[in-house]
Amino acid sequence: LSAEAEGTQRALGEAGISSMVLETELLCEESMGFFFMLMELSVASLGLVYQIDPFNQPGVEQSKINTRTILR
């Protein structure tokens, strides 16, 4: 998996695509909570930059409705 991750990082770099690697010494509830919060804040911030409302995506809501219908 490490070689695959490194290969992906190299391919993205060679294609001029920005990316980042996040590492944690301890995989636990607290570190995952920090990670999820970081991602949520990043998405919200990027939404503002690109003038997209990341909290009002109709495809997401429709997907939830479809899933509930299928599970009934």
Side-chain angles (χ1 to χ4, degrees), residues 1-62:
L1 286 176
S2 294
E4 192 171 346
E6 185 177 336
T8 300
Q9 282 296 118
R10 286 184 190 181
L12 290 171
E14 290 165 1
I17 299 171
S18 298
S19 64
M20 69 176 155
V21 175
L22 299 173
E23 296 180 8
T24 181
E25 290 183 21
L26 180 63
L27 188 59
C28 64
E29 294 89 352
E30 186 176 14
S31 63
M32 291 305 297
F34 282 117
F35 174 72
F36 290 139
M37 194 67 211
L38 172 65
M39 292 297 104
E40 289 176 12
L41 290 170
S42 297
V43 168
S45 299
L46 286 171
L48 290 172
V49 169
Y50 290 108
Q51 298 179 345
I52 298 168
D53 182 356
F55 304 107
N56 184 23
Q57 298 296 310
V60 173
E61 186 58 32
Q62 188 60 48

